Amino acid sequence: MLLNDFDYKLPEELIAQKPIEPRNFSRLMVLDPIEKKILHEHFYDLKKFLNVGDTLIFNDTRVIPARLIGQKKTGAKVEIFLLKRIDSTTWETLARPGKKLLEGAEVFFSDELSCEIIGRTNFGGRIVKFKFSGIFEEILDKLGETPLPPYIHEKLDDAERYQTVYNRERGSAAAPTAGLHFTTEQMQDLKNFGVNLGFVTLHVGLGTFRPVQVENIENHEMHEEFFSIPEETANLIHETKLRGGRVIAVGTTSVRTLESAAENKNSVKVGSDSTKIFIYPGYEFKIVDALITNFHLPKSTLIMLVSAFAGRDFILSAYREAVENRYRFFSFGDAMFITKKI
Protein backbone atom coordinates (compact mmCIF):
# COMPACT_ATOMS: atom_id res chain seq x y z
CA MET A 1 0.00 0.00 0.00
CA LEU A 2 1.14 3.52 -0.76
CA LEU A 3 1.64 6.40 1.65
CA ASN A 4 -0.76 8.61 -0.31
CA ASP A 5 -3.53 6.07 0.32
CA PHE A 6 -3.71 7.46 3.87
CA ASP A 7 -3.81 11.16 3.07
CA TYR A 8 -6.73 13.52 3.65
CA LYS A 9 -7.32 17.27 3.57
CA LEU A 10 -7.58 19.02 6.93
CA PRO A 11 -8.21 22.75 7.38
CA GLU A 12 -5.58 24.07 9.78
CA GLU A 13 -8.19 25.76 11.97
CA LEU A 14 -9.55 22.31 12.97
CA ILE A 15 -6.28 21.39 14.72
CA ALA A 16 -7.17 21.80 18.40
CA GLN A 17 -4.83 24.18 20.22
CA LYS A 18 -6.39 23.94 23.67
CA PRO A 19 -8.06 21.07 25.55
CA ILE A 20 -11.82 21.11 26.14
CA GLU A 21 -13.05 21.64 29.70
CA PRO A 22 -14.30 19.49 31.31
CA ARG A 23 -12.23 16.73 29.72
CA ASN A 24 -15.18 14.53 28.73
CA PHE A 25 -17.13 17.31 26.99
CA SER A 26 -15.25 16.61 23.76
CA ARG A 27 -17.27 15.21 20.88
CA LEU A 28 -17.38 11.47 20.18
CA MET A 29 -17.84 9.99 16.71
CA VAL A 30 -19.14 6.42 16.99
CA LEU A 31 -18.22 4.15 14.07
CA ASP A 32 -19.77 0.81 13.17
CA PRO A 33 -17.66 -0.60 10.30
CA ILE A 34 -20.01 -3.56 9.76
CA GLU A 35 -23.19 -1.53 9.26
CA LYS A 36 -21.20 1.46 7.90
CA LYS A 37 -22.97 3.70 10.40
CA ILE A 38 -21.65 6.89 12.00
CA LEU A 39 -23.18 8.55 15.06
CA HIS A 40 -22.33 11.95 16.52
CA GLU A 41 -22.26 12.05 20.32
CA HIS A 42 -20.20 13.46 23.20
CA PHE A 43 -17.56 11.65 25.21
CA TYR A 44 -19.73 11.73 28.33
CA ASP A 45 -22.16 9.52 26.33
CA LEU A 46 -19.58 6.71 26.07
CA LYS A 47 -21.43 4.44 28.52
CA LYS A 48 -24.33 4.15 26.03
CA PHE A 49 -22.04 2.11 23.77
CA LEU A 50 -20.52 -0.17 26.41
CA ASN A 51 -21.87 -3.40 27.87
CA VAL A 52 -21.66 -4.81 31.37
CA GLY A 53 -18.62 -7.10 31.35
CA ASP A 54 -16.65 -5.10 28.77
CA THR A 55 -13.08 -4.25 29.73
CA LEU A 56 -11.36 -0.94 29.00
CA ILE A 57 -7.55 -1.10 28.80
CA PHE A 58 -5.72 2.15 29.58
CA ASN A 59 -2.05 3.07 29.05
CA ASP A 60 -0.94 4.48 32.42
CA THR A 61 2.31 6.05 31.21
CA ARG A 62 3.23 9.56 32.33
CA VAL A 63 4.85 12.14 30.06
CA ILE A 64 8.22 13.26 31.35
CA PRO A 65 9.63 16.78 30.84
CA ALA A 66 11.65 15.36 27.96
CA ARG A 67 12.90 18.58 26.30
CA LEU A 68 16.15 19.95 27.69
CA ILE A 69 17.70 23.21 26.46
CA GLY A 70 21.45 23.58 27.01
CA GLN A 71 24.58 24.88 25.37
CA LYS A 72 27.98 23.73 24.20
CA LYS A 73 31.22 25.16 25.54
CA THR A 74 31.13 27.57 22.59
CA GLY A 75 27.83 28.97 23.85
CA ALA A 76 25.86 27.47 20.94
CA LYS A 77 22.30 26.54 21.94
CA VAL A 78 21.41 22.83 21.88
CA GLU A 79 18.13 20.96 22.37
CA ILE A 80 18.16 17.39 23.68
CA PHE A 81 14.86 15.51 23.47
CA LEU A 82 14.72 12.34 25.57
CA LEU A 83 13.20 9.33 23.82
CA LYS A 84 14.18 6.10 25.55
CA ARG A 85 16.14 5.28 28.67
CA ILE A 86 18.91 2.72 28.14
CA ASP A 87 20.25 2.63 31.70
CA SER A 88 20.44 4.92 34.75
CA THR A 89 22.56 7.55 32.93
CA THR A 90 22.21 6.79 29.21
CA TRP A 91 19.37 7.76 26.84
CA GLU A 92 18.42 7.61 23.19
CA THR A 93 17.60 11.17 22.15
CA LEU A 94 16.87 13.53 19.31
CA ALA A 95 19.36 16.39 19.20
CA ARG A 96 19.24 19.78 17.49
CA PRO A 97 21.30 20.89 15.70
CA GLY A 98 22.27 17.25 15.22
CA LYS A 99 24.91 17.73 12.51
CA LYS A 100 27.13 19.71 14.87
CA LEU A 101 26.82 17.31 17.79
CA LEU A 102 29.59 14.84 17.11
CA GLU A 103 30.71 12.04 19.39
CA GLY A 104 32.52 13.46 22.41
CA ALA A 105 30.67 16.79 22.38
CA GLU A 106 29.43 18.01 25.76
CA VAL A 107 26.20 19.87 26.48
CA PHE A 108 25.64 21.83 29.70
CA PHE A 109 22.17 22.43 31.13
CA SER A 110 22.99 23.71 34.64
CA ASP A 111 25.55 23.29 37.38
CA GLU A 112 23.76 20.05 38.27
CA LEU A 113 23.37 18.50 34.81
CA SER A 114 25.39 17.95 31.64
CA CYS A 115 25.71 15.22 29.03
CA GLU A 116 28.19 13.81 26.55
CA ILE A 117 27.35 12.54 23.07
CA ILE A 118 28.59 8.94 23.03
CA GLY A 119 27.05 7.57 19.85
CA ARG A 120 24.45 7.71 17.10
CA THR A 121 21.18 5.84 16.66
CA ASN A 122 20.02 4.19 13.46
CA PHE A 123 17.24 6.81 13.12
CA GLY A 124 19.54 9.85 13.13
CA GLY A 125 19.38 10.57 16.85
CA ARG A 126 22.13 10.65 19.47
CA ILE A 127 22.96 8.43 22.42
CA VAL A 128 23.90 10.62 25.37
CA LYS A 129 25.38 9.91 28.79
CA PHE A 130 24.26 12.27 31.56
CA LYS A 131 26.40 13.51 34.41
CA PHE A 132 24.52 14.93 37.37
CA SER A 133 24.71 15.55 41.10
CA GLY A 134 21.53 14.51 42.90
CA ILE A 135 18.47 12.57 41.70
CA PHE A 136 18.08 12.66 37.91
CA GLU A 137 14.25 12.69 37.95
CA GLU A 138 14.17 15.65 40.34
CA ILE A 139 16.67 17.58 38.21
CA LEU A 140 14.67 16.75 35.07
CA ASP A 141 11.45 18.00 36.70
CA LYS A 142 13.23 21.28 37.44
CA LEU A 143 15.04 21.83 34.13
CA GLY A 144 13.02 19.95 31.53
CA GLU A 145 9.98 21.06 29.56
CA THR A 146 6.93 18.88 28.91
CA PRO A 147 6.93 18.60 25.12
CA LEU A 148 3.77 19.42 23.18
CA PRO A 149 3.40 18.26 19.56
CA PRO A 150 4.71 20.73 16.96
CA TYR A 151 1.22 21.42 15.57
CA ILE A 152 0.18 22.93 18.94
CA HIS A 153 1.32 26.54 18.89
CA GLU A 154 -0.27 27.82 22.09
CA LYS A 155 1.23 27.39 25.55
CA LEU A 156 -0.64 25.17 27.99
CA ASP A 157 -1.84 26.92 31.14
CA ASP A 158 -1.65 23.70 33.17
CA ALA A 159 0.96 21.08 32.18
CA GLU A 160 -1.13 18.36 33.88
CA ARG A 161 -3.75 18.84 31.16
CA TYR A 162 -1.36 16.95 28.85
CA GLN A 163 -1.43 14.01 31.28
CA THR A 164 -4.19 11.45 31.76
CA VAL A 165 -5.93 11.46 35.14
CA TYR A 166 -4.75 7.87 35.70
CA ASN A 167 -1.05 8.28 34.79
CA ARG A 168 1.36 6.34 37.01
CA GLU A 169 4.54 5.25 35.22
CA ARG A 170 7.03 7.94 34.13
CA GLY A 171 8.69 7.50 30.77
CA SER A 172 6.79 8.89 27.76
CA ALA A 173 7.90 11.56 25.32
CA ALA A 174 4.26 12.18 24.34
CA ALA A 175 0.84 11.60 25.90
CA PRO A 176 -1.45 8.66 25.06
CA THR A 177 -4.00 11.22 23.95
CA ALA A 178 -7.14 9.08 23.71
CA GLY A 179 -7.03 8.84 27.49
CA LEU A 180 -7.08 12.62 27.94
CA HIS A 181 -10.89 12.57 27.56
CA PHE A 182 -11.53 10.54 30.71
CA THR A 183 -12.32 12.13 34.06
CA THR A 184 -11.90 10.33 37.37
CA GLU A 185 -15.66 10.57 37.91
CA GLN A 186 -16.46 9.03 34.51
CA MET A 187 -14.08 6.14 35.14
CA GLN A 188 -15.74 5.45 38.50
CA ASP A 189 -19.19 5.66 36.88
CA LEU A 190 -18.18 3.10 34.25
CA LYS A 191 -16.83 0.83 36.97
CA ASN A 192 -20.08 1.13 38.93
CA PHE A 193 -21.99 0.30 35.74
CA GLY A 194 -20.10 -2.97 35.39
CA VAL A 195 -17.27 -2.13 32.99
CA ASN A 196 -13.83 -3.44 34.03
CA LEU A 197 -10.82 -1.13 34.01
CA GLY A 198 -7.36 -2.56 33.30
CA PHE A 199 -3.96 -0.91 32.88
CA VAL A 200 -0.86 -1.51 30.77
CA THR A 201 2.19 0.66 30.20
CA LEU A 202 3.74 1.69 26.89
CA HIS A 203 6.21 4.56 27.00
CA VAL A 204 5.41 6.60 23.91
CA GLY A 205 8.53 7.32 21.89
CA LEU A 206 9.63 7.78 18.31
CA GLY A 207 7.79 4.65 17.16
CA THR A 208 4.43 6.28 17.72
CA PHE A 209 5.00 9.69 16.14
CA ARG A 210 7.88 9.22 13.69
CA PRO A 211 6.72 10.24 10.18
CA VAL A 212 6.51 7.64 7.43
CA GLN A 213 9.04 8.62 4.76
CA VAL A 214 8.78 5.71 2.33
CA GLU A 215 6.33 5.46 -0.57
CA ASN A 216 5.52 1.80 0.09
CA ILE A 217 4.35 1.74 3.72
CA GLU A 218 5.41 -1.89 4.16
CA ASN A 219 9.02 -0.66 4.04
CA HIS A 220 8.51 1.61 7.08
CA GLU A 221 10.33 0.47 10.21
CA MET A 222 8.98 1.36 13.64
CA HIS A 223 11.22 2.49 16.48
CA GLU A 224 11.33 0.24 19.54
CA GLU A 225 9.14 1.20 22.54
CA PHE A 226 9.02 -0.32 26.03
CA PHE A 227 5.81 -1.88 27.31
CA SER A 228 4.66 -3.79 30.37
CA ILE A 229 1.55 -5.85 31.24
CA PRO A 230 0.83 -6.75 34.87
CA GLU A 231 -0.59 -10.15 35.80
CA GLU A 232 -3.81 -8.54 37.05
CA THR A 233 -4.50 -7.04 33.61
CA ALA A 234 -3.63 -10.24 31.76
CA ASN A 235 -6.03 -12.19 33.99
CA LEU A 236 -8.76 -9.59 33.44
CA ILE A 237 -8.38 -9.85 29.65
CA HIS A 238 -8.53 -13.65 29.77
CA GLU A 239 -11.63 -13.63 31.97
CA THR A 240 -13.34 -11.03 29.76
CA LYS A 241 -12.73 -13.08 26.62
CA LEU A 242 -13.98 -16.29 28.23
CA ARG A 243 -17.19 -14.53 29.34
CA GLY A 244 -17.80 -13.16 25.85
CA GLY A 245 -17.05 -9.54 26.81
CA ARG A 246 -15.17 -7.07 24.68
CA VAL A 247 -11.61 -5.87 25.25
CA ILE A 248 -11.65 -2.17 24.35
CA ALA A 249 -8.32 -0.41 23.92
CA VAL A 250 -8.11 3.21 25.02
CA GLY A 251 -5.73 4.58 22.41
CA THR A 252 -3.46 3.16 19.74
CA THR A 253 -0.65 2.64 22.28
CA SER A 254 -2.89 0.25 24.22
CA VAL A 255 -3.68 -1.53 20.94
CA ARG A 256 0.00 -1.94 20.13
CA THR A 257 0.77 -3.19 23.63
CA LEU A 258 -2.00 -5.80 23.64
CA GLU A 259 -1.35 -7.02 20.11
CA SER A 260 2.41 -7.22 20.77
CA ALA A 261 1.81 -9.43 23.81
CA ALA A 262 -0.96 -11.60 22.34
CA GLU A 263 -0.45 -15.33 22.88
CA ASN A 264 -3.73 -16.25 21.18
CA LYS A 265 -7.21 -14.72 20.80
CA ASN A 266 -7.91 -15.04 24.54
CA SER A 267 -4.72 -14.15 26.39
CA VAL A 268 -1.66 -11.91 26.58
CA LYS A 269 1.78 -12.50 28.09
CA VAL A 270 2.60 -11.01 31.48
CA GLY A 271 5.77 -8.94 31.87
CA SER A 272 7.89 -6.31 30.13
CA ASP A 273 9.29 -6.22 26.62
CA SER A 274 9.90 -3.88 23.69
CA THR A 275 7.78 -3.66 20.57
CA LYS A 276 8.30 -2.49 17.00
CA ILE A 277 4.87 -3.68 15.87
CA PHE A 278 3.55 -1.81 12.82
CA ILE A 279 -0.17 -2.33 12.26
CA TYR A 280 -1.59 -1.46 8.84
CA PRO A 281 -4.42 -2.84 6.65
CA GLY A 282 -4.23 -6.61 6.35
CA TYR A 283 -3.29 -7.09 10.00
CA GLU A 284 -5.45 -9.62 11.88
CA PHE A 285 -6.28 -8.37 15.38
CA LYS A 286 -6.07 -10.97 18.12
CA ILE A 287 -7.07 -9.23 21.34
CA VAL A 288 -8.69 -5.84 20.67
CA ASP A 289 -12.44 -5.83 19.96
CA ALA A 290 -13.09 -2.08 19.97
CA LEU A 291 -11.03 1.09 20.08
CA ILE A 292 -11.27 4.58 21.55
CA THR A 293 -8.95 6.95 19.73
CA ASN A 294 -8.41 10.53 18.57
CA PHE A 295 -8.25 11.76 14.99
CA HIS A 296 -4.74 11.24 13.61
CA LEU A 297 -2.36 13.03 11.27
CA PRO A 298 -2.53 12.33 7.52
CA LYS A 299 -0.08 9.65 6.34
CA SER A 300 0.74 8.62 9.93
CA THR A 301 1.22 5.09 11.26
CA LEU A 302 -1.74 5.78 13.55
CA ILE A 303 -4.25 6.42 10.77
CA MET A 304 -2.90 3.22 9.19
CA LEU A 305 -3.62 1.35 12.42
CA VAL A 306 -7.24 2.55 12.64
CA SER A 307 -7.64 1.79 8.93
CA ALA A 308 -6.54 -1.77 9.65
CA PHE A 309 -9.13 -1.91 12.41
CA ALA A 310 -12.15 -0.49 10.58
CA GLY A 311 -11.25 -0.44 6.88
CA ARG A 312 -9.36 2.33 5.07
CA ASP A 313 -12.27 3.57 2.93
CA PHE A 314 -14.64 3.73 5.90
CA ILE A 315 -12.10 5.55 8.06
CA LEU A 316 -11.32 8.12 5.37
CA SER A 317 -15.04 8.72 4.79
CA ALA A 318 -15.46 9.20 8.55
CA TYR A 319 -12.59 11.71 8.55
CA ARG A 320 -14.25 13.62 5.71
CA GLU A 321 -17.48 13.67 7.71
CA ALA A 322 -15.56 14.86 10.76
CA VAL A 323 -14.12 17.76 8.74
CA GLU A 324 -17.58 18.66 7.41
CA ASN A 325 -18.95 18.64 10.98
CA ARG A 326 -16.06 20.73 12.31
CA TYR A 327 -14.65 18.14 14.70
CA ARG A 328 -11.44 19.11 16.51
CA PHE A 329 -8.35 17.12 15.46
CA PHE A 330 -5.21 15.59 16.99
CA SER A 331 -3.95 15.57 20.60
CA PHE A 332 -6.43 18.00 22.18
CA GLY A 333 -9.16 17.17 19.68
CA ASP A 334 -12.28 15.02 19.70
CA ALA A 335 -12.53 11.23 19.91
CA MET A 336 -13.80 8.19 18.04
CA PHE A 337 -15.24 4.93 19.35
CA ILE A 338 -14.76 2.19 16.75
CA THR A 339 -15.98 -1.38 16.76
CA LYS A 340 -13.92 -3.94 14.83
CA LYS A 341 -14.51 -4.71 11.16
CA ILE A 342 -15.20 -8.44 10.67
PDB file of all heavy atoms in Angstrom, residues 251-275:
ATOM      1  N   GLY A 251      -6.886   4.040  23.115  1.00  0.00           N
ATOM      2  CA  GLY A 251      -5.729   4.579  22.410  1.00  0.00           C
ATOM      3  C   GLY A 251      -4.942   3.552  21.622  1.00  0.00           C
ATOM      4  O   GLY A 251      -4.956   2.349  21.927  1.00  0.00           O
ATOM      5  N   THR A 252      -4.246   4.034  20.609  1.00  0.00           N
ATOM      6  CA  THR A 252      -3.456   3.163  19.744  1.00  0.00           C
ATOM      7  C   THR A 252      -2.275   2.551  20.485  1.00  0.00           C
ATOM      8  O   THR A 252      -1.808   1.465  20.128  1.00  0.00           O
ATOM      9  CB  THR A 252      -2.950   3.937  18.515  1.00  0.00           C
ATOM     10  OG1 THR A 252      -2.231   5.092  18.951  1.00  0.00           O
ATOM     11  CG2 THR A 252      -4.120   4.389  17.639  1.00  0.00           C
ATOM     12  N   THR A 253      -1.762   3.229  21.524  1.00  0.00           N
ATOM     13  CA  THR A 253      -0.649   2.640  22.279  1.00  0.00           C
ATOM     14  C   THR A 253      -1.112   1.412  23.056  1.00  0.00           C
ATOM     15  O   THR A 253      -0.356   0.444  23.191  1.00  0.00           O
ATOM     16  CB  THR A 253      -0.010   3.663  23.233  1.00  0.00           C
ATOM     17  OG1 THR A 253      -0.994   4.157  24.140  1.00  0.00           O
ATOM     18  CG2 THR A 253       0.612   4.809  22.460  1.00  0.00           C
ATOM     19  N   SER A 254      -2.341   1.440  23.560  1.00  0.00           N
ATOM     20  CA  SER A 254      -2.887   0.251  24.220  1.00  0.00           C
ATOM     21  C   SER A 254      -3.084  -0.877  23.212  1.00  0.00           C
ATOM     22  O   SER A 254      -2.826  -2.047  23.513  1.00  0.00           O
ATOM     23  CB  SER A 254      -4.216   0.583  24.905  1.00  0.00           C
ATOM     24  OG  SER A 254      -4.021   1.489  25.971  1.00  0.00           O
ATOM     25  N   VAL A 255      -3.541  -0.528  22.006  1.00  0.00           N
ATOM     26  CA  VAL A 255      -3.681  -1.534  20.941  1.00  0.00           C
ATOM     27  C   VAL A 255      -2.339  -2.202  20.671  1.00  0.00           C
ATOM     28  O   VAL A 255      -2.227  -3.440  20.644  1.00  0.00           O
ATOM     29  CB  VAL A 255      -4.201  -0.894  19.632  1.00  0.00           C
ATOM     30  CG1 VAL A 255      -4.197  -1.932  18.498  1.00  0.00           C
ATOM     31  CG2 VAL A 255      -5.597  -0.335  19.808  1.00  0.00           C
ATOM     32  N   ARG A 256      -1.301  -1.400  20.487  1.00  0.00           N
ATOM     33  CA  ARG A 256       0.004  -1.939  20.127  1.00  0.00           C
ATOM     34  C   ARG A 256       0.579  -2.789  21.254  1.00  0.00           C
ATOM     35  O   ARG A 256       1.242  -3.801  21.009  1.00  0.00           O
ATOM     36  CB  ARG A 256       0.954  -0.804  19.746  1.00  0.00           C
ATOM     37  CG  ARG A 256       0.503  -0.063  18.484  1.00  0.00           C
ATOM     38  CD  ARG A 256       1.430   1.079  18.084  1.00  0.00           C
ATOM     39  NE  ARG A 256       2.726   0.561  17.713  1.00  0.00           N
ATOM     40  CZ  ARG A 256       3.862   0.865  18.319  1.00  0.00           C
ATOM     41  NH1 ARG A 256       3.869   1.682  19.367  1.00  0.00           N
ATOM     42  NH2 ARG A 256       5.002   0.338  17.914  1.00  0.00           N
ATOM     43  N   THR A 257       0.306  -2.396  22.489  1.00  0.00           N
ATOM     44  CA  THR A 257       0.765  -3.192  23.629  1.00  0.00           C
ATOM     45  C   THR A 257       0.084  -4.549  23.644  1.00  0.00           C
ATOM     46  O   THR A 257       0.738  -5.602  23.752  1.00  0.00           O
ATOM     47  CB  THR A 257       0.462  -2.450  24.951  1.00  0.00           C
ATOM     48  OG1 THR A 257       1.131  -1.187  24.930  1.00  0.00           O
ATOM     49  CG2 THR A 257       0.940  -3.245  26.142  1.00  0.00           C
ATOM     50  N   LEU A 258      -1.237  -4.557  23.551  1.00  0.00           N
ATOM     51  CA  LEU A 258      -1.997  -5.803  23.640  1.00  0.00           C
ATOM     52  C   LEU A 258      -1.683  -6.735  22.473  1.00  0.00           C
ATOM     53  O   LEU A 258      -1.512  -7.950  22.662  1.00  0.00           O
ATOM     54  CB  LEU A 258      -3.498  -5.506  23.689  1.00  0.00           C
ATOM     55  CG  LEU A 258      -3.981  -4.726  24.915  1.00  0.00           C
ATOM     56  CD1 LEU A 258      -5.466  -4.402  24.788  1.00  0.00           C
ATOM     57  CD2 LEU A 258      -3.711  -5.497  26.203  1.00  0.00           C
ATOM     58  N   GLU A 259      -1.610  -6.181  21.280  1.00  0.00           N
ATOM     59  CA  GLU A 259      -1.347  -7.021  20.111  1.00  0.00           C
ATOM     60  C   GLU A 259       0.092  -7.533  20.109  1.00  0.00           C
ATOM     61  O   GLU A 259       0.360  -8.640  19.633  1.00  0.00           O
ATOM     62  CB  GLU A 259      -1.670  -6.255  18.830  1.00  0.00           C
ATOM     63  CG  GLU A 259      -3.143  -5.918  18.668  1.00  0.00           C
ATOM     64  CD  GLU A 259      -4.038  -7.148  18.552  1.00  0.00           C
ATOM     65  OE1 GLU A 259      -3.659  -8.102  17.833  1.00  0.00           O
ATOM     66  OE2 GLU A 259      -5.112  -7.175  19.195  1.00  0.00           O
ATOM     67  N   SER A 260       1.010  -6.762  20.671  1.00  0.00           N
ATOM     68  CA  SER A 260       2.405  -7.216  20.765  1.00  0.00           C
ATOM     69  C   SER A 260       2.547  -8.384  21.729  1.00  0.00           C
ATOM     70  O   SER A 260       3.425  -9.238  21.565  1.00  0.00           O
ATOM     71  CB  SER A 260       3.312  -6.067  21.228  1.00  0.00           C
ATOM     72  OG  SER A 260       3.347  -5.034  20.276  1.00  0.00           O
ATOM     73  N   ALA A 261       1.702  -8.411  22.765  1.00  0.00           N
ATOM     74  CA  ALA A 261       1.814  -9.435  23.809  1.00  0.00           C
ATOM     75  C   ALA A 261       0.830 -10.587  23.627  1.00  0.00           C
ATOM     76  O   ALA A 261       0.770 -11.486  24.475  1.00  0.00           O
ATOM     77  CB  ALA A 261       1.583  -8.791  25.173  1.00  0.00           C
ATOM     78  N   ALA A 262       0.069 -10.564  22.531  1.00  0.00           N
ATOM     79  CA  ALA A 262      -0.955 -11.595  22.337  1.00  0.00           C
ATOM     80  C   ALA A 262      -0.345 -12.987  22.207  1.00  0.00           C
ATOM     81  O   ALA A 262       0.580 -13.199  21.427  1.00  0.00           O
ATOM     82  CB  ALA A 262      -1.777 -11.279  21.094  1.00  0.00           C
ATOM     83  N   GLU A 263      -0.852 -13.920  23.002  1.00  0.00           N
ATOM     84  CA  GLU A 263      -0.453 -15.326  22.880  1.00  0.00           C
ATOM     85  C   GLU A 263      -1.410 -16.069  21.965  1.00  0.00           C
ATOM     86  O   GLU A 263      -1.032 -16.975  21.232  1.00  0.00           O
ATOM     87  CB  GLU A 263      -0.446 -15.976  24.266  1.00  0.00           C
ATOM     88  CG  GLU A 263       0.645 -15.439  25.164  1.00  0.00           C
ATOM     89  CD  GLU A 263       0.725 -16.193  26.484  1.00  0.00           C
ATOM     90  OE1 GLU A 263      -0.309 -16.320  27.174  1.00  0.00           O
ATOM     91  OE2 GLU A 263       1.831 -16.659  26.828  1.00  0.00           O
ATOM     92  N   ASN A 264      -2.683 -15.711  22.038  1.00  0.00           N
ATOM     93  CA  ASN A 264      -3.731 -16.248  21.180  1.00  0.00           C
ATOM     94  C   ASN A 264      -4.886 -15.255  21.241  1.00  0.00           C
ATOM     95  O   ASN A 264      -4.699 -14.125  21.680  1.00  0.00           O
ATOM     96  CB  ASN A 264      -4.156 -17.662  21.635  1.00  0.00           C
ATOM     97  CG  ASN A 264      -4.471 -17.703  23.123  1.00  0.00           C
ATOM     98  OD1 ASN A 264      -5.290 -16.933  23.620  1.00  0.00           O
ATOM     99  ND2 ASN A 264      -3.793 -18.591  23.850  1.00  0.00           N
ATOM    100  N   LYS A 265      -6.080 -15.658  20.838  1.00  0.00           N
ATOM    101  CA  LYS A 265      -7.206 -14.718  20.804  1.00  0.00           C
ATOM    102  C   LYS A 265      -7.832 -14.490  22.179  1.00  0.00           C
ATOM    103  O   LYS A 265      -8.765 -13.687  22.309  1.00  0.00           O
ATOM    104  CB  LYS A 265      -8.264 -15.196  19.811  1.00  0.00           C
ATOM    105  CG  LYS A 265      -7.817 -15.062  18.363  1.00  0.00           C
ATOM    106  CD  LYS A 265      -8.957 -15.341  17.404  1.00  0.00           C
ATOM    107  CE  LYS A 265      -8.516 -15.111  15.964  1.00  0.00           C
ATOM    108  NZ  LYS A 265      -8.304 -13.703  15.646  1.00  0.00           N
ATOM    109  N   ASN A 266      -7.333 -15.175  23.206  1.00  0.00           N
ATOM    110  CA  ASN A 266      -7.913 -15.045  24.543  1.00  0.00           C
ATOM    111  C   ASN A 266      -6.940 -14.547  25.605  1.00  0.00           C
ATOM    112  O   ASN A 266      -7.372 -14.253  26.722  1.00  0.00           O
ATOM    113  CB  ASN A 266      -8.490 -16.388  25.012  1.00  0.00           C
ATOM    114  CG  ASN A 266      -9.734 -16.782  24.249  1.00  0.00           C
ATOM    115  OD1 ASN A 266     -10.544 -15.932  23.912  1.00  0.00           O
ATOM    116  ND2 ASN A 266      -9.869 -18.065  23.954  1.00  0.00           N
ATOM    117  N   SER A 267      -5.660 -14.464  25.301  1.00  0.00           N
ATOM    118  CA  SER A 267      -4.725 -14.151  26.386  1.00  0.00           C
ATOM    119  C   SER A 267      -3.500 -13.387  25.888  1.00  0.00           C
ATOM    120  O   SER A 267      -3.125 -13.458  24.712  1.00  0.00           O
ATOM    121  CB  SER A 267      -4.282 -15.436  27.093  1.00  0.00           C
ATOM    122  OG  SER A 267      -3.610 -16.296  26.190  1.00  0.00           O
ATOM    123  N   VAL A 268      -2.890 -12.652  26.843  1.00  0.00           N
ATOM    124  CA  VAL A 268      -1.657 -11.915  26.577  1.00  0.00           C
ATOM    125  C   VAL A 268      -0.601 -12.340  27.588  1.00  0.00           C
ATOM    126  O   VAL A 268      -0.915 -12.801  28.684  1.00  0.00           O
ATOM    127  CB  VAL A 268      -1.873 -10.390  26.662  1.00  0.00           C
ATOM    128  CG1 VAL A 268      -2.819  -9.911  25.575  1.00  0.00           C
ATOM    129  CG2 VAL A 268      -2.373  -9.967  28.039  1.00  0.00           C
ATOM    130  N   LYS A 269       0.667 -12.156  27.213  1.00  0.00           N
ATOM    131  CA  LYS A 269       1.777 -12.501  28.094  1.00  0.00           C
ATOM    132  C   LYS A 269       1.949 -11.445  29.172  1.00  0.00           C
ATOM    133  O   LYS A 269       1.823 -10.241  28.925  1.00  0.00           O
ATOM    134  CB  LYS A 269       3.078 -12.621  27.292  1.00  0.00           C
ATOM    135  CG  LYS A 269       3.158 -13.836  26.385  1.00  0.00           C
ATOM    136  CD  LYS A 269       4.477 -13.887  25.668  1.00  0.00           C
ATOM    137  CE  LYS A 269       4.538 -12.828  24.573  1.00  0.00           C
ATOM    138  NZ  LYS A 269       5.740 -12.986  23.708  1.00  0.00           N
ATOM    139  N   VAL A 270       2.289 -11.907  30.364  1.00  0.00           N
ATOM    140  CA  VAL A 270       2.604 -11.015  31.485  1.00  0.00           C
ATOM    141  C   VAL A 270       4.068 -10.613  31.393  1.00  0.00           C
ATOM    142  O   VAL A 270       4.915 -11.412  30.990  1.00  0.00           O
ATOM    143  CB  VAL A 270       2.330 -11.727  32.825  1.00  0.00           C
ATOM    144  CG1 VAL A 270       2.775 -10.871  34.002  1.00  0.00           C
ATOM    145  CG2 VAL A 270       0.853 -12.078  32.953  1.00  0.00           C
ATOM    146  N   GLY A 271       4.374  -9.359  31.774  1.00  0.00           N
ATOM    147  CA  GLY A 271       5.769  -8.939  31.867  1.00  0.00           C
ATOM    148  C   GLY A 271       6.098  -7.758  30.984  1.00  0.00           C
ATOM    149  O   GLY A 271       5.210  -7.107  30.418  1.00  0.00           O
ATOM    150  N   SER A 272       7.392  -7.474  30.869  1.00  0.00           N
ATOM    151  CA  SER A 272       7.889  -6.311  30.131  1.00  0.00           C
ATOM    152  C   SER A 272       8.659  -6.751  28.889  1.00  0.00           C
ATOM    153  O   SER A 272       9.293  -7.809  28.886  1.00  0.00           O
ATOM    154  CB  SER A 272       8.813  -5.479  31.024  1.00  0.00           C
ATOM    155  OG  SER A 272       8.135  -5.044  32.181  1.00  0.00           O
ATOM    156  N   ASP A 273       8.596  -5.926  27.863  1.00  0.00           N
ATOM    157  CA  ASP A 273       9.294  -6.216  26.617  1.00  0.00           C
ATOM    158  C   ASP A 273       9.365  -4.920  25.816  1.00  0.00           C
ATOM    159  O   ASP A 273       8.919  -3.875  26.273  1.00  0.00           O
ATOM    160  CB  ASP A 273       8.541  -7.307  25.843  1.00  0.00           C
ATOM    161  CG  ASP A 273       9.441  -8.079  24.887  1.00  0.00           C
ATOM    162  OD1 ASP A 273      10.542  -7.574  24.569  1.00  0.00           O
ATOM    163  OD2 ASP A 273       9.042  -9.175  24.447  1.00  0.00           O
ATOM    164  N   SER A 274       9.909  -5.005  24.624  1.00  0.00           N
ATOM    165  CA  SER A 274       9.897  -3.882  23.692  1.00  0.00           C
ATOM    166  C   SER A 274       9.155  -4.299  22.438  1.00  0.00           C
ATOM    167  O   SER A 274       9.144  -5.485  22.085  1.00  0.00           O
ATOM    168  CB  SER A 274      11.314  -3.444  23.336  1.00  0.00           C
ATOM    169  OG  SER A 274      11.952  -2.863  24.458  1.00  0.00           O
ATOM    170  N   THR A 275       8.526  -3.337  21.783  1.00  0.00           N
ATOM    171  CA  THR A 275       7.776  -3.658  20.573  1.00  0.00           C
ATOM    172  C   THR A 275       8.132  -2.713  19.434  1.00  0.00           C
ATOM    173  O   THR A 275       8.389  -1.522  19.656  1.00  0.00           O
ATOM    174  CB  THR A 275       6.263  -3.601  20.813  1.00  0.00           C
ATOM    175  OG1 THR A 275       5.577  -3.951  19.590  1.00  0.00           O
ATOM    176  CG2 THR A 275       5.795  -2.225  21.263  1.00  0.00           C
TER     177      THR A 275
END
